[in-house]
Amino acid sequence: MFIGESLCLVGLCLHRRRELRDYRRLVAENESLMVKTTPEIKEPYHARLFQWVVVLPTLCDLVGTSLAGIGLVYVDASVWQMLRGSIIIFTGILSKIFLKRPLKISHWIGMVTVMIGLILVGCSSIFTSLSNKTSGGKTLLGILLILGSQIVSAAQMVIEETFLKSRNLHPLHVVGLEGSYGFLLMSFVVLPAMYFIPGADVGNKYENSVDALYQMANSPRLLVLCLLYLSSIAFYNYFGLAVTRSLTAVHRTLIDACRTIMVWVVDMLIYYAFDKNFGEPFEKSYGILQIDGFIFLLIGTAIYNQLLDIRNFVPCWTFSSEELSAVNPSNSNIQDVSCSEDEDDEKTSLLKGRNK
């Protein structure tokens, strides 16, 4: 994962080179024209390459990914992906605490709805494990690990948003540094420690990285899958930070939540169409809970992003004027519409005038 992220530094160098080339071309054109009214062309700002503050989100990325990966061992991929939707709750709360971003009543309703969906998804996973006579305790442990990873990932996104906007760092810059620092931490701290800790892996190691490299070298299919994963991580993190820079960390989590249905569909497609040793079957007994939980997740996400107007379901006089004020463009791309009686009367009179 970190190798894939570090490749973004190559893209950063190419991006900076293109900016400097365009800047020099514009300067040369203006000098040749010798027009005094031409506005001054500013040289593109390039922050120094090594930013040690990026170590903090790197540590969050390392801890969050590790907890999520361990949790995936105990739950299905679809359940794992749905539980990751909890990040919207933690990101919203941390954004309010540290970024002082106000949360309107629609935000709170959306987060509560998401929480209900998470409870249903978690219950379906636990009930399924009990019905299959597997350990429900391990399933619960996996759920708790995934939720813990989302708290850490939410903190990472808030920190990244701070760096992107306050320090004016390019998304490729942040992702590339996180990958480089993460690769160094994994190579010289984490993996060596896991190698010397006793465990059930080859050679009585907790994590035998040497054997993992040997397997990739002797399996072309595994090597190709690792390379594809490497490239997908690079693009995924860059696009995610590009959304964070243009909008907010919350919008990034909202878009990321849309992956859930794709993971679930592909998981069942693999099981029923290709190989029953992989993928995930649809649980007839408790699968309806998972569907209900997924629907609640989608509704909560839509309410939070104000794609669903809660005033269509609750009389607008129950909300204060501040809660119905227009949404700041930096926080949302959907504008709220006030519903005061005076404006309604004014609109009615204007319509009558037009009809006349």
Side-chain angles (χ1 to χ4, degrees):
M1 182 189 70
F2 287 124
I3 293 175
E5 292 179 353
S6 62
L7 292 178
C8 289
L9 288 179
V10 178
L12 176 67
C13 295
L14 296 175
H15 175 75
R16 289 185 171 183
R17 181 181 178 184
R18 183 172 63 252
E19 282 188 337
L20 288 175
R21 184 178 66 247
D22 295 340
Y23 166 74
R24 291 166 183 165
R25 178 176 56 81
L26 291 175
V27 170
E29 291 177 355
N30 288 338
E31 289 178 353
S32 62
L33 293 175
M34 300 181 65
V35 180
K36 295 183 180 181
T37 58
T38 304
E40 182 181 358
I41 302 175
K42 294 183 179 181
E43 185 176 357
Y45 169 75
H46 291 161
R48 60 187 178 87
L49 185 61
F50 293 101
Q51 301 281 341
W52 294 109
V53 291
V54 184
V55 173
L56 185 57
T58 302
L59 292 174
C60 293
D61 195 5
L62 176 60
V63 175
T65 304
S66 300
L67 292 177
I70 298 172
L72 180 59
V73 176
Y74 304 112
V75 299
D76 293 326
S78 61
V79 174
W80 179 79
Q81 186 64 54
M82 290 182 188
L83 290 175
R84 292 188 66 194
S86 62
I87 195 173
I88 185 176
I89 300 174
F90 305 126
T91 305
I93 294 175
L94 292 179
S95 296
K96 178 177 178 60
I97 296 174
F98 296 102
L99 301 181
K100 308 302 180 184
R101 182 170 295 120
L103 293 178
K104 301 181 182 300
I105 190 171
S106 59
H107 297 148
W108 291 108
I109 293 177
M111 289 192 293
V112 171
T113 307
V114 169
M115 187 177 299
I116 295 174
L118 294 174
I119 294 174
L120 291 175
V121 171
C123 290
S124 70
S125 180
I126 295 174
F127 294 156
T128 301
S129 63
L130 292 176
S131 64
N132 294 333
K133 297 182 180 181
T134 57
S135 177
K138 290 185 177 180
T139 303
L140 180 60
L141 174 62
I143 292 173
L144 294 176
L145 288 173
I146 296 170
L147 294 178
S149 72
Q150 297 315 293
I151 296 176
V152 179
S153 298
Q156 174 193 348
M157 291 188 178
V158 172
I159 295 172
E160 287 175 345
E161 181 177 346
T162 302
F163 291 160
L164 285 170
K165 295 183 177 179
S166 63
R167 294 178 176 267
N168 195 24
L169 298 179
H170 194 275
L172 287 172
H173 196 176
V174 177
V175 176
L177 286 181
E178 286 184 6
S180 301
Y181 295 152
F183 175 75
L184 295 176
L185 287 172
M186 291 292 293
S187 300
F188 297 102
V189 179
V190 179
L191 291 180
M194 297 296 103
Y195 184 82
F196 291 104
I197 294 176
D201 209 345
V202 178
N204 295 325
K205 310 293 184 181
Y206 187 83
E207 178 64 39
N208 195 329
S209 303
V210 177
D211 181 67
L213 294 174
Y214 179 81
Q215 292 181 48
M216 286 187 287
N218 289 273
S219 175
R221 180 182 299 179
L222 181 59
L223 180 60
V224 169
L225 290 174
C226 290
L227 293 176
L228 288 175
Y229 179 75
L230 187 148
S231 60
S232 68
I233 283 293
F235 286 108
Y236 167 76
N237 284 275
Y238 166 67
F239 293 146
L241 279 180
V243 171
T244 301
R245 190 185 192 190
S246 302
L247 300 172
T248 65
V250 176
H251 285 83
R252 176 180 173 181
T253 61
L254 294 171
I255 297 174
D256 190 56
C258 297
R259 293 188 302 160
T260 303
I261 186 63
M262 293 300 301
V263 171
W264 196 9
V265 170
V266 171
D267 216 18
M268 289 190 293
L269 181 65
I270 292 175
Y271 181 84
Y272 288 108
F274 296 97
D275 192 346
K276 294 187 181 298
N277 293 322
F278 301 96
E280 172 191 354
F282 180 78
E283 178 61 38
K284 298 179 181 179
S285 300
Y286 303 103
I288 189 65
L289 284 179
Q290 192 170 349
I291 294 177
D292 292 340
F294 175 69
I295 293 175
F296 271 95
L297 287 173
L298 290 183
I299 294 175
T301 299
I303 293 176
Y304 192 100
N305 202 28
Q306 297 187 348
L307 299 176
L308 284 180
D309 195 341
I310 56 177
R311 290 171 296 171
N312 294 331
F313 308 97
V314 183
C316 62
W317 55 265
T318 59
F319 299 95
S320 63
S321 58
E322 293 181 357
E323 292 165 346
L324 296 176
S325 59
V327 179
N328 191 315
S330 63
N331 295 334
S332 177
N333 55 352
I334 305 293
Q335 290 186 344
D336 196 2
V337 182
S338 62
C339 59
S340 64
E341 296 180 358
D342 294 338
E343 290 185 357
D344 289 340
D345 294 340
E346 182 179 356
K347 291 178 182 178
T348 303
S349 62
L350 288 174
L351 290 174
K352 289 180 179 179
R354 289 182 180 178
N355 292 332
K356 292 179 180 178

